[in-house]
Amino acid sequence: MSAPVLIKVGGALLENAQALQALFAALADVQRLRPVMIIHGGGCIVEQQLAAMGMVSEKKDGLRITPPEQMAVITGALAGTSNKQLLAYGLNAGMKAVGVCIGDAFTVEASVLDPALGCVGQCSEDGSAGDPALLKLLVDNGYTPIISSIAVSREGQLLNVNADQAALALCQLLQAELVLLSDVEGILDGERQLIPEIDQQKADQLVAEGVITDGMAVKVQAALQAARTLGRSIAVASWREPEKLTDLLAGKPVGTKVLG
C-alpha cells in the first residue's frame, strides 16, 4: 500500500461549509489512490466556546495558553465539536471517516511543554514516542482517521497540543507525506507574495524581520523539522483550492515547498 498522506486543516475552514465540501470531495478522490488521514485544529471554535463560558483566551508565541480550568472546554471544542463537524463532512463525501484524537491508545505521547502555558502539550522531538498501531489498523481497513490534537500524558492529564506540531509527530511516526493547509496560498513574503520554496535560513530571516509570526511561525518550524526528519519537502498550501491537491501530491508546484 502507498504511504499515507496526512492533511492538516484548521483556521477559518471550519466555518466555511462550501470549502469543507469541496475539500472533502477532493480528499475522497485522493483516497482512491492512497490512504488519507486528516489532523485538525479548531481555534475559531475554541474561542467561540470559551467566550460563551465567559473565559478569556490568550496566546503566546502562537500557542494557546491553556489554564486547567479551560481544558474541559478546549477538549470539547477540539475533540468534540470540531472533530465531529469534520467527521460529518467526511462521511457525506463517501469516506469511512472515524474521529479519534492523538491521545487514543497513546498514538502520540505528550508531556507538559511549560507550566506557565498550563495544559499545553509537547510531543517528542523526533516523533518516536507513540504507537501507530491504531491508525495503521484503521487505514489498512479502508477507514479515514480524522484526528484532533488532544493528547493524554502518562500521568493521565489531558493536554492541548498545537495541531501543526501534532501533525509533525504523526508524520514522523507513520512516515506519512505531510501537507499543511492554511487560509493563505502558502508562506508569504513581506509584500504578501507567495514564496515558492523556503529553507531554515530563509525562514529564520523572515521570522527575524517579523514577516513570519505567531501561528504561521509554528507551522513553518513544524514543516522544516518534518522535512529534515523525513528527508523530503513538505507542502504548505491553501485549502481554498482543493482541486490542486492531486497536482500537489503528484509533485507539481503548488503553494510553498518547505525544504529540510
Side-chain angles (χ1 to χ4, degrees), residues 10-230:
L13 172 64
L14 294 169
E15 298 183 303
N16 189 323
Q18 184 176 1
L20 280 169
Q21 289 177 338
L23 175 62
F24 274 96
L27 291 176
D29 288 338
V30 171
Q31 194 170 43
R32 295 186 180 95
L33 304 173
R34 61 192 302 189
V36 170
M37 300 182 295
I38 299 154
I39 184 164
H40 64 87
C44 53
I45 294 175
V46 168
E47 289 169 7
Q48 290 168 8
Q49 295 194 8
L50 287 174
M53 298 293 291
M55 296 177 173
V56 177
S57 178
E58 298 180 81
K59 287 188 175 183
K60 180 180 179 181
D61 299 327
L63 300 175
R64 186 178 303 280
I65 299 173
T66 307
E69 63 271 18
Q70 293 186 4
M71 193 60 208
V73 178
I74 291 172
T75 299
L78 294 177
T81 303
S82 301
N83 187 266
K84 301 317 171 193
Q85 178 182 346
L86 293 172
L87 173 74
Y89 279 96
L91 291 171
N92 188 58
M95 293 173 156
K96 293 167 64 177
V98 178
V100 297
C101 71
I102 62 171
D104 288 341
F106 283 125
T107 296
V108 174
E109 291 190 28
S111 57
V112 173
L113 172 61
D114 179 350
L117 295 174
C119 301
V120 173
Q122 64 177 345
C123 309
S124 64
E125 286 293 321
D126 61 359
S128 61
D131 183 354
L134 173 62
L135 292 182
K136 287 183 176 179
L137 178 67
L138 291 171
V139 166
D140 288 348
N141 285 278
Y143 294 96
T144 306
I146 297 181
I147 310 159
S148 75
S149 58
I150 295 297
V152 182
S153 73
R154 281 293 175 181
E155 295 71 38
Q157 180 181 8
L158 289 169
L159 296 173
N160 177 22
V161 176
N162 174 272
D164 290 313
Q165 295 176 347
L168 164 63
L170 281 176
C171 77
Q172 291 173 325
L173 195 64
L174 293 153
Q175 292 298 297
E177 183 171 351
L178 177 61
V179 177
L180 301 173
L181 295 184
S182 177
D183 298 355
V184 293
E185 58 182 320
I187 302 168
L188 307 181
D189 64 18
E191 304 298 322
R192 305 292 295 172
Q193 298 300 306
L194 178 68
I195 301 171
E197 292 186 354
I198 193 169
D199 58 13
Q200 187 72 61
Q201 182 179 0
K202 180 65 172 177
D204 289 345
Q205 176 188 340
L206 292 174
V207 168
E209 293 172 353
V211 174
I212 296 177
T213 61
D214 302 325
M216 183 57 79
V218 176
K219 188 185 302 294
V220 170
Q221 291 304 324
L224 286 163
Q225 187 173 343
R228 286 194 299 270
T229 303
L230 298 175

